[in-house]
Amino acid sequence: MRTWVRRSFRNRIFVMMLLAAFVPLLVCGVLMLRFQMVRSEGSLAAEAVEQLAALEGALSELQGRCERAVGELCSSTVVRSALRRGGSDSRTLYQALFQAAGPLREYAQLEVYDSAGQPCYTTSRILPEEAVDTGWGILYAAREEEGMALRANGDGLACAQAVRSREGAVLGYVAVTVSQSGFDRLFSGLYGASCEVILLDGSWRTVYGSQPSQAQPTVESLRRQLLAGEGLAGWSGEYRFFAAAHAGTGFSLVLQQPKPFTSLVLRSFYLVGALAGALCLLLCMWCAWILSRYLSRPVHQLDEAMGAVERGRLDVRLETERDDELGRLSSRFNRMAEEYRLNLERSVQRERELNNVRLRMLQAQLNPHFLYNTLDAMKWLGVAHRAPQVAALATDLATILRASISGDEMVTLERELELIDRYVNIQLIRFEDRFAFEIDVAERFQSCLVPKLALQPLVENAIIHGVADRDDGYIKLQAGEEGGDLLLYVSDNGCGIPAEVLAQLNSEEKRIQDGHLGLFNTNSIIRIYFGQGYGVFARSSPGEGSLVWLRLPLRREEEGNAEGSDC
């Protein structure tokens, strides 16, 4: 996978876009679900605590009312008198009974028993026929305990207290019974419809269960939880339990609350979330793939185009309508490829021109080695026959030929001037001293490098086409500097340069003119070496003379052949 990602720019974009789109979506989805679950659990827990507090308050209120009613009846002389004599004004006793019961009648019933456990009076419509055994149960607890006794009676809650004479003898019992339906009315509206309330006595017997069919299994589960060392509060299966011990009665209230999300609901959530996540993953992959292809297509095309250029196809061009960075990159590649093609064509053209110049120079040479050996023989013949001019001509011409066939393409200006001086000596003998020649070059230019025999065509042009027909000809060679370039001037007072030749010398494309082959060859060589900004230039006035000069890079001998080094 790592190699696959690193191998392609498009694959990197695809993976990055996929991660950037899907991972935040996945994390947000998981966090939102978890946050909703925690928030729901917290909200339901707070509601359960409030409901449990309300149930505990209702139980405390029930206890208080029972204690007041039972205590009032047990201390009533009417009740004592009726139980002592075995009969009394029933109307007066019932008035006392109903007055003491008060609000308890909504969810409880009061009964008065004699000392044998036989029911005598009740707030219900029907008086029980069977006697209650006083040897056990609630009446036994009432006789043995001081105050009111509380017991679970199998169908609810029973509260009883013995009615005693002044001597302490038991005359009878006052009992309060709260049935399951009574507890339903007592706790009605104090807890949620989906919750279950269980009331347990101190012995963990069920006093009340809002759902009687499920109360006993729930109690057994809680008992096992306690035996395992766990508290009542907490999760158990699909439910959460909240417990509170009632301080007045010793009973325990348990509120069973279902989970906000059952296992079935959670499985549904996870299934829907997985399907939605898979759909989002597919959508993110599709969008990331489309976007990666859109972004990487120009890069891929550019890579293929550059490979084609490397293989020599210089006509490759990228077609793009994009205005962004990739579009501009494609446009710049097109311009670069076109410039590369033009540069290659120019290089080929320059090489072709250089080869042509070299061919013309070779054609103009008549075996320099043979000429040099012949001239050397002429020199010694001149010396032997005492002809000094012949010897001087032969010596100067041999020196020039030796320089022309040497392997050095660049020489110092000092060496070039020595060759020019020998060339002028030959021409002075030829023209019988009808012109004067002067070299005016400062010492600081002597070490500058120039192409070998570059000045000879300029001097030759000044002699042959300038002062050849004059008896007072004058030629001057000077050197100067301008803009970091070396300028070598050759001026004469001859007849001037024809206008068409002058125009060709100063034009961008210099074509060969008859009689001026040396000038144009020199210009071609200089431009091949140094570029279009250099070469041969001229200025002339008809009948007043001409000025021809060379523009060369200013370089010194110690700088070697490093191009672009300024003097």
Side-chain angles (χ1 to χ4, degrees):
M1 179 65 180
R2 188 175 183 181
T3 304
W4 179 79
V5 171
R6 297 179 62 183
R7 185 176 57 188
S8 172
F9 175 68
R10 181 175 64 185
N11 295 343
R12 293 181 183 178
I13 296 178
F14 170 72
V15 173
M16 291 178 63
M17 294 301 300
L18 181 61
L19 293 178
F22 181 70
V23 171
L25 183 64
L26 178 63
V27 172
C28 289
V30 173
L31 291 179
M32 286 294 294
L33 179 61
R34 183 59 185 167
F35 173 76
Q36 186 63 31
M37 292 177 62
V38 172
R39 183 177 180 182
S40 299
E41 291 175 0
S43 177
L44 291 177
E47 292 180 3
V49 172
E50 294 179 0
Q51 294 171 5
L52 193 61
L55 292 172
E56 189 177 2
L59 185 62
S60 298
E61 185 179 356
L62 172 64
Q63 178 191 3
R65 288 178 178 179
C66 289
E67 289 178 349
R68 287 193 297 270
V70 171
E72 183 178 343
L73 291 175
C74 288
S75 60
S76 173
T77 56
V78 175
V79 176
R80 288 178 180 177
S81 175
L83 292 176
R84 185 182 296 112
R85 293 193 300 269
S88 181
D89 186 358
S90 60
R91 181 176 180 180
T92 303
L93 193 144
Y94 270 109
Q95 286 180 351
L97 186 61
F98 278 94
Q99 183 178 1
L104 278 175
R105 292 178 56 194
E106 297 179 7
Y107 39 82
Q109 61 183 19
L110 272 71
E111 297 171 345
V112 179
Y113 296 90
D114 60 13
S115 58
Q118 185 67 36
C120 301
Y121 307 97
T122 182
T123 56
S124 65
R125 295 180 180 181
I126 301 175
L127 183 66
E129 296 180 358
E130 297 181 359
V132 178
D133 191 356
T134 60
W136 69 282
I138 185 62
L139 296 185
Y140 176 79
R143 187 180 65 211
E144 297 297 326
E145 297 179 8
E146 293 292 335
M148 186 179 67
L150 296 174
R151 293 291 185 276
N153 64 353
D155 188 32
L157 176 67
C159 307
Q161 184 175 341
V163 180
R164 302 179 187 275
S165 63
R166 295 184 183 275
E167 292 78 13
V170 176
L171 302 177
Y173 303 93
V174 177
V176 179
T177 304
V178 184
S179 63
Q180 293 288 322
S181 59
F183 276 110
D184 289 340
R185 290 190 293 273
L186 176 65
F187 294 149
S188 178
L190 299 181
Y191 61 94
S194 60
C195 299
E196 180 183 357
V197 176
I198 301 175
L199 180 62
L200 304 174
D201 65 4
S203 301
W204 267 73
R205 291 179 296 179
T206 303
V207 179
Y208 165 75
S210 59
Q211 298 180 14
S213 61
Q214 300 180 11
Q216 191 60 34
T218 301
V219 172
E220 293 296 333
S221 176
L222 292 176
R223 185 179 287 112
R224 288 192 299 269
Q225 188 172 326
L226 283 176
L227 292 176
E230 302 176 2
L232 289 179
W235 295 101
S236 178
E238 299 291 338
Y239 299 95
R240 188 176 186 180
F241 295 94
F242 298 86
H246 189 261
T249 61
F251 291 178
S252 298
L253 272 170
V254 178
L255 178 65
Q256 176 183 288
Q257 185 184 65
K259 288 182 178 180
F261 303 104
T262 63
S263 299
L264 180 61
V265 173
L266 285 177
R267 283 196 296 270
S268 300
F269 279 172
Y270 294 150
L271 179 60
V272 173
L275 293 176
L279 181 61
C280 291
L281 176 61
L282 293 177
L283 182 61
C284 290
M285 290 178 64
W286 181 74
C287 293
W289 181 255
I290 295 298
L291 185 58
S292 65
R293 289 189 61 189
Y294 175 75
L295 293 177
S296 63
R297 185 183 295 113
V299 178
H300 182 66
Q301 293 174 348
L302 182 61
D303 180 63
E304 290 184 345
M306 294 181 73
V309 171
E310 288 180 352
R311 293 188 295 272
R313 291 182 53 193
L314 302 181
D315 57 341
V316 175
R317 297 295 182 270
L318 294 176
E319 299 294 335
T320 180
E321 296 180 356
R322 302 173 62 135
D323 296 329
D324 55 6
E325 291 83 354
L326 294 175
R328 292 194 292 272
L329 184 61
S330 299
S331 299
R332 290 174 181 174
F333 170 80
N334 292 337
R335 291 194 295 270
M336 181 192 69
E338 179 65 18
E339 187 64 27
Y340 179 71
R341 185 185 65 82
L342 294 176
N343 285 337
L344 185 59
E345 291 180 355
R346 284 193 291 264
S347 297
V348 173
Q349 181 64 25
R350 290 176 60 185
E351 186 66 24
R352 186 180 296 114
E353 292 177 357
L354 180 58
N355 291 334
N356 291 335
V357 171
R358 288 172 177 171
L359 180 60
R360 291 195 300 269
M361 292 179 66
L362 289 174
Q363 291 173 350
Q365 295 175 357
L366 296 177
N367 198 340
H369 290 281
F370 171 74
L371 292 177
Y372 171 73
N373 293 330
T374 303
L375 289 173
D376 189 60
M378 290 174 59
K379 178 186 75 171
W380 293 110
L381 286 174
V383 173
H385 292 83
R386 298 181 181 180
Q389 288 185 331
V390 175
L393 284 173
T395 301
D396 292 336
L397 185 54
T399 302
I400 295 173
L401 285 175
R402 187 186 298 111
S404 67
I405 65 175
S406 66
D408 298 331
E409 296 184 356
M410 303 293 291
V411 297
T412 62
L413 182 57
E414 181 181 11
R415 177 59 177 164
E416 180 72 5
L417 294 178
E418 291 178 0
L419 296 176
I420 292 300
D421 188 59
R422 290 183 178 273
Y423 173 76
V424 171
N425 289 336
I426 295 174
Q427 294 295 349
L428 285 174
I429 295 174
R430 174 187 174 186
F431 290 96
E432 299 177 351
D433 296 329
R434 293 202 304 269
F435 68 90
F437 179 76
E438 179 184 359
I439 297 177
D440 183 12
V441 176
E443 183 65 28
R444 64 189 183 94
F445 296 118
Q446 296 290 330
S447 62
C448 291
L449 296 175
V450 297
K452 181 177 59 178
L453 295 176
L455 288 174
Q456 185 269 336
L458 277 67
V459 176
E460 180 181 7
N461 184 75
I463 296 172
I464 302 301
H465 301 285
V467 301
D469 297 331
R470 297 178 62 97
D471 293 332
D472 57 347
Y474 176 73
I475 301 173
K476 185 175 183 180
L477 195 155
Q478 296 175 289
E481 180 182 357
E482 182 181 283
D485 293 334
L486 175 65
L487 301 179
L488 299 175
Y489 300 95
V490 176
S491 60
D492 65 76
N493 61 349
C495 60
I497 302 175
E500 62 275 10
V501 177
L502 187 64
Q504 286 297 323
L505 282 173
N506 293 323
S507 65
E508 289 294 329
E509 298 181 359
K510 297 177 170 62
R511 293 194 296 271
I512 298 176
Q513 296 288 329
D514 294 338
H516 299 281
L517 179 62
L519 287 179
F520 286 96
N521 283 347
T522 300
N523 180 77
S524 299
I525 291 174
I526 292 176
R527 288 199 171 188
I528 289 173
Y529 282 150
F530 306 118
Q532 293 296 321
Y534 300 97
V536 178
F537 302 90
R539 185 169 66 243
S540 178
S541 299
E544 297 181 1
S546 60
L547 175 64
V548 182
W549 69 92
L550 298 180
R551 178 179 287 270
L552 303 169
L554 192 55
R555 299 187 305 167
R556 295 195 182 278
E557 183 179 18
E558 59 269 17
E559 295 174 356
N561 293 326
E563 294 191 10
S565 301
D566 293 336
C567 184

